[in-house]
Amino acid sequence: MEVILLWSFYILTFYAFIPGVISRFFGFRVFKKGKSERDLALTFDDGPHPEYTVQLLDLLKTYNAKATFFVLGIQAEKCPELLKRMHEEGHLIGIHNYVHKTNWFMRPKTVRQHIEKTSNIIESITGKRPIYYRPPWGIVNLFDFNNLGHIQIILWSAMFNDWRKKVGAERLYKRMSKCCRGGEVLLLHDCGLTLGADADAPANMLIALERFLQDAKQKDLRCVRVDELMRATDANKVRNPSWLKRIVVKSWLGYERVFHILFGMKTTNPEQPIFHFRMRPYHGDPVTMDDGTVLKQDDKVLEIHFDNRRLYEIGTRSRNMMQIAIHMIRDVERTLPELADYVQSHPEVNAEFKALYGVSMINRGPEQFGFVVKDLPKSIFAWASKHYLRLIMRIIHPSGSNRVRNHTEQLVPKLIIMSRHTLLSRYGKSFAYEANKQEQTLLTSEHVVKKAPSAT
């Protein structure tokens, strides 16, 4: 019996207690507080409620404040018109499980079912699928960090025990007024029907909240949705990166310099490098390129690497993944002619390599430049490439790791390959000139043949 109790204690500790501690106190894989001078986030759990949520929406509208509602699926089913109103008035709707049950006592599969069911309800009412999730009581289990797909976990920086009526409106207001500043994520409740709550407690919350909104207005503070506070926080991090991120970036760029030296990497533009490259044998399955050339095992390739310093500069100047991709495409467009000229001016390179070869997360659009995009075969290299490139995207992405996690299904490394003939024919000056000259000669010959008098 003692052994069973001991193992039960160990399982509960590692499954529930430790994950809860590291998420709550260290902010691991969760968002719980922002960095903004002007913006704070009001969040409301357990609703919607047919009486109190209506009053709350009216109050928010009066003060032009936006909020985030983490709704229970069972309540959302009863009040679809309130979810529709929340959405239409510009508020953000997140998930709070289907019923108010802690993740500590649910299997990972059951948690996913709660989230999926509630997501479907919200999407059927608003037309928009939620991606933000607050577990009841903020409690996560061991598998929540990596088991929720695109879902972002949201906790809070301050709560006020507002689910208990005995706190009273005056005391609740005093507690809230201490957090009337930028960056805060305030946890409140617009429904008191869950276990341990008082059914009419939201009435006090509404009284205290109106005074809080008056104070926020006087201080020129904005009440925004959680996703907007996250964007403001990410922008602040880009402008003022933490000491830890500065160390990580310097270490990363230092590693790149060592890598270039050890493997003899070259570039076409030392002052403003875009590509670094080296000659090496190809190891992989045969690949048929756009011009019919087949790349085989041990054929020589020019392995290309995007300059990490340039990648970091692009990331800090861009607001989203689309802008990063656009900047990278422009740089590639500018650099491919330089690379073709380099190959043509170095006969020893020109004679040996068969294709350009690289691995990239930004693999939507390279076809327009003549690249063939292929899936990486499953291997240790593919696994390492995926995790390394996702780490890079977390470092350089303007919206931080939270945004990257929301699009993991898109962040899949792939091979990009271009034949030597395509590189030179599309981007090489002398090659294009000779090809054009030969084409003109052929056209002229055909013209002469057509115009020549018949021998008969």
Side-chain angles (χ1 to χ4, degrees):
M1 186 65 181
E2 290 182 0
V3 173
I4 294 174
L5 289 174
L6 185 61
W7 274 106
S8 298
F9 173 76
Y10 285 152
I11 291 171
L12 183 62
T13 298
F14 286 99
Y15 182 75
F17 181 71
I18 291 178
V21 169
I22 63 175
S23 63
R24 180 69 257 164
F25 294 102
F26 299 101
F28 179 72
R29 294 290 182 89
V30 302
F31 180 79
K32 62 188 185 74
K33 189 173 185 178
K35 289 187 177 180
S36 173
E37 293 183 0
R38 288 192 59 207
D39 299 340
L40 61 90
L42 296 172
T43 67
F44 300 91
D45 289 6
D46 299 354
H49 186 277
E51 178 185 352
Y52 294 119
T53 303
V54 172
Q55 297 177 41
L56 173 58
L57 288 170
D58 291 342
L59 182 61
L60 294 172
K61 190 173 185 179
T62 299
Y63 286 89
N64 194 28
K66 302 302 178 188
T68 302
F69 292 86
F70 292 100
V71 302
L72 294 172
I74 192 170
Q75 291 297 114
E77 284 180 320
K78 297 175 183 176
C79 306
E81 70 287 349
L82 286 178
L83 257 72
K84 190 174 293 185
R85 181 181 171 186
M86 291 173 190
H87 179 69
E88 290 174 349
E89 294 184 359
H91 303 292
L92 183 65
I93 303 174
I95 306 159
H96 199 47
N97 282 355
Y98 181 73
V99 296
H100 203 273
K101 187 176 181 181
T102 174
N103 291 10
W104 275 8
F105 303 121
M106 291 194 291
R107 296 175 301 163
K109 181 179 179 181
T110 307
V111 174
R112 287 199 308 272
Q113 289 172 344
H114 271 255
I115 292 173
E116 185 70 17
K117 188 173 183 179
T118 307
S119 294
N120 292 338
I121 293 168
I122 295 171
E123 185 176 23
S124 68
I125 296 170
T126 67
K128 188 173 180 63
R129 195 160 188 83
I131 62 170
Y132 299 98
Y133 171 59
R134 174 174 286 162
W137 294 293
I139 293 172
V140 296
N141 64 46
L142 180 62
F143 297 99
D144 286 344
F145 296 131
N146 291 311
N147 203 36
L148 300 182
H150 66 287
I151 296 293
Q152 167 67 55
I153 299 175
I154 305 293
L155 297 183
W156 58 86
S157 61
M159 65 176 177
F160 312 101
N161 211 24
D162 66 307
W163 60 89
R164 301 306 301 272
K165 182 180 179 181
K166 68 179 182 180
V167 173
E170 181 63 28
R171 187 158 42 150
L172 179 57
Y173 163 70
K174 289 180 178 178
R175 291 177 180 180
M176 293 173 62
S177 63
K178 294 177 181 178
C179 298
C180 192
R181 54 178 175 261
E184 297 289 345
V185 178
L186 277 58
L187 168 60
L188 297 164
H189 298 78
D190 58 327
C191 182
L193 301 179
T194 56
L195 181 65
D198 296 324
D200 49 356
N204 289 331
M205 182 276 293
L206 290 167
I207 296 170
L209 178 62
E210 181 164 15
R211 295 178 63 184
F212 178 89
L213 290 171
Q214 292 171 353
D215 293 347
K217 186 176 181 179
Q218 290 178 356
K219 294 181 178 181
D220 198 27
L221 293 172
R222 298 193 313 159
C223 296
V224 301
R225 301 168 15 152
V226 159
D227 56 346
E228 189 172 347
L229 180 60
M230 291 173 71
R231 284 194 293 271
T233 300
D234 291 333
N236 184 282
K237 287 180 179 178
V238 169
R239 292 191 300 269
N240 305 293
S242 67
W243 63 269
L244 179 58
K245 183 165 185 176
R246 289 197 296 269
I247 291 174
V248 170
V249 170
K250 286 184 179 180
S251 301
W252 174 50
L253 297 178
Y255 160 79
E256 183 187 47
R257 286 195 293 271
V258 173
F259 179 87
H260 290 170
I261 294 170
L262 289 177
F263 291 94
M265 304 294 288
K266 296 179 173 59
T267 183
T268 59
N269 188 341
E271 287 75 30
Q272 292 181 316
I274 303 299
F275 281 152
H276 300 271
F277 55 89
R278 61 168 175 159
M279 186 92 74
R280 77 171 189 81
Y282 170 70
H283 300 295
D285 297 330
V287 176
T288 301
M289 292 174 279
D290 61 328
D291 61 351
T293 305
V294 179
L295 182 64
K296 302 175 183 175
Q297 183 83 4
D298 294 326
D299 284 342
K300 293 295 181 63
V301 294
L302 278 186
E303 183 182 76
I304 54 177
H305 297 258
F306 206 90
D307 183 79
N308 283 342
R309 185 175 294 279
R310 174 61 180 160
L311 191 59
Y312 183 67
E313 290 173 356
I314 290 173
T316 56
R317 293 208 318 263
S318 303
R319 291 193 298 271
N320 51 50
M321 283 294 296
M322 180 62 71
Q323 289 192 359
I324 289 178
I326 290 171
H327 283 298
M328 290 182 70
I329 287 171
R330 287 175 179 170
D331 280 351
V332 170
E333 192 174 30
R334 175 168 60 85
T335 304
L336 285 173
E338 294 179 2
L339 188 56
D341 289 345
Y342 177 90
V343 168
Q344 289 177 321
S345 61
H346 291 75
E348 73 283 2
V349 176
N350 197 353
E352 283 196 65
F353 91 102
K354 199 169 185 178
L356 294 183
Y357 167 95
V359 178
S360 175
M361 288 282 194
I362 308 295
N363 44 54
R364 295 185 179 183
E367 294 95 340
Q368 65 181 298
F369 298 112
F371 285 101
V372 173
V373 179
K374 296 287 184 180
D375 292 331
L376 273 173
K378 291 183 179 180
S379 63
I380 293 177
F381 172 74
W383 180 88
S385 296
K386 179 180 75 173
H387 287 84
Y388 172 68
L389 290 175
R390 285 185 179 179
L391 175 63
I392 288 178
M393 296 307 291
R394 287 178 187 278
I395 294 172
I396 65 100
H397 194 282
S399 298
S401 60
N402 294 327
R403 293 297 182 83
V404 175
R405 196 178 309 117
N406 292 341
H407 301 283
T408 52
E409 73 284 352
Q410 300 175 13
L411 299 179
V412 178
K414 295 195 177 186
L415 295 177
I416 56 171
I417 304 172
M418 179 192 295
S419 71
R420 170 186 168 276
H421 180 272
T422 298
L423 173 69
L424 298 181
S425 62
R426 291 186 63 165
Y427 303 102
K429 294 178 182 177
S430 58
F431 190 99
Y433 173 77
E434 289 299 328
N436 184 62
K437 184 178 178 181
Q438 290 177 11
E439 185 179 356
Q440 290 299 322
T441 301
L442 182 61
L443 289 172
T444 302
S445 301
E446 290 176 351
H447 180 73
V448 170
V449 168
K450 288 178 181 177
K451 291 294 183 179
S454 174
T456 60

